[in-house]
Amino acid sequence: MPAMDSTRRRLRLSDAHISVLGLLVEEGEVPQELARAHSELRAAGILDDDDKIASELFPLVSTLLEPHVIARVELTGPQGTSTSGVVVGNDFVFAHEAWPGEPESEYVPVHPAMLVFELSRMVDLHQDDTDAEDIGEEIVSTMGVLDAIVERMESDGADEPAAITEAVNAPARLTEILAQLNCMWRMTVARPGGEGHPDGLGLAGLAVWDCGIEGYWVREAPAEPIHEGQVEVSSELKVRRVTAKEIWQRITDLLPDQDQLLVDAPTPA
């Protein structure tokens, strides 16, 4: 169910609730397939009987209707895949974070200067104990081998890493680090003035494996952002061990500079 915490400016909304709010603002009516979400918004006090949106929602709705920068985080772990992220509008910034298995996400306002902190928290970026001599280690294989390892590890009665390595003809280190996998996550940012897109939005991305005691690994091939149909079983897989500090810097590099975030800021004469 949707909910609103006006004291802390927090909202719990599903994609269907967001669609209802957008349609009411832009078209003034809601199709039958969204009737349930529509009713839930009324029951939660987010809409009144005349479909007037609560004033507390103005910053969020205006931001979602006219996004300027969008950061999307797709995190895959033992509880499945969840999607979180940040949306930057002309005047406001909101983060949204999902809970595995729940249809609603929590939306909260964020100060622009806190974006890197917020995105790092979403992926649980934490200090690791990686030895200096291990940094930069690379493993090269194929996406088909990766899929075969993951499939065997997720099956009932999963084999030991050494047995999986032999069965799928995988690099031993690849199987060893995946045996310690906590989660895989991808972060994609649509931002103004991306390379090759001087007049529009460009895409930049980052893919990371959090392998517990085996540390953090950045997937350098296939490189993010990946487009549909781009990756095949024969596509090269290359991962490199990095520090949490490097990941922090890479997240920072995905985002525009602070003076580019809020586009309605006055332009110097």
Side-chain angles (χ1 to χ4, degrees):
M1 286 290 292
M4 178 170 58
D5 177 3
S6 57
T7 302
R8 296 182 60 190
R9 298 184 294 162
R10 298 184 302 170
L11 296 120
R12 281 177 53 88
L13 300 167
S14 68
D15 290 345
H17 299 136
I18 295 294
S19 296
V20 170
L21 294 173
L23 288 167
L24 287 175
V25 171
E26 294 188 326
E27 301 179 16
E29 55 186 52
V30 178
Q32 183 59 36
E33 59 264 27
L34 291 173
R36 178 176 178 178
H38 190 186
S39 298
E40 289 175 345
L41 289 170
R42 285 180 169 177
I46 294 172
L47 295 175
D48 65 17
D49 291 339
D50 296 322
D51 284 341
K52 181 180 179 181
I53 299 173
S55 59
E56 291 90 343
L57 265 75
F58 168 76
L60 174 61
V61 173
S62 64
T63 299
L64 295 178
L65 288 178
E66 295 187 30
H68 176 52
V69 177
I70 299 174
R72 184 175 187 269
V73 177
E74 182 183 279
L75 192 149
T76 302
Q79 293 177 285
T81 299
S82 60
T83 302
S84 303
V86 171
V87 182
V88 180
N90 292 337
D91 301 293
F92 306 100
V93 181
F94 276 86
H96 61 94
E97 190 165 9
W99 188 272
E102 296 290 336
E104 290 91 11
S105 294
E106 182 178 81
Y107 288 79
V108 294
V110 177
H111 191 281
M114 300 296 290
L115 280 181
V116 177
F117 292 89
E118 187 65 21
L119 289 169
S120 298
R121 185 192 60 78
M122 286 180 183
V123 298
D124 188 30
L125 184 65
H126 52 272
Q127 187 61 46
D128 58 7
D129 298 321
T130 303
D131 292 332
E133 60 266 23
D134 295 328
I135 300 304
E137 179 186 0
E138 288 187 352
I139 304 173
V140 178
S141 186
T142 67
M143 292 300 291
V145 170
L146 170 63
D147 291 342
I149 294 172
V150 172
E151 182 178 350
R152 281 181 169 266
M153 287 184 170
E154 290 179 346
S155 64
D156 294 335
D159 297 324
E160 292 296 321
I164 296 175
T165 295
E166 183 177 356
V168 303
N169 193 27
R173 279 295 286 151
L174 181 59
T175 311
E176 288 170 0
I177 68 170
L178 288 172
Q180 302 298 327
L181 183 69
N182 289 330
C183 68
M184 296 179 177
W185 55 264
R186 302 165 60 196
M187 187 178 296
T188 306
V189 176
R191 51 179 287 182
E195 184 177 352
H197 303 79
D199 299 321
L201 291 178
L203 292 178
L206 172 66
V208 174
W209 299 355
D210 177 352
C211 293
I213 62 173
E214 289 284 2
Y216 286 112
W217 297 75
V218 169
R219 195 190 72 219
E220 297 188 333
E224 292 288 336
I226 294 175
H227 303 288
E228 186 176 355
Q230 179 182 341
V231 177
E232 301 176 347
V233 293
S234 60
S235 297
E236 181 188 37
L237 168 71
K238 182 167 73 174
V239 293
R240 182 171 62 87
R241 193 167 187 176
V242 299
T243 62
K245 181 179 179 180
E246 179 175 334
I247 295 175
W248 175 279
Q249 185 59 54
R250 286 186 175 228
I251 293 174
T252 303
D253 293 342
L254 291 178
L255 298 167
D257 294 336
Q258 289 294 309
D259 58 2
Q260 295 178 291
L261 283 174
L262 301 181
V263 298
D264 280 352
T267 303

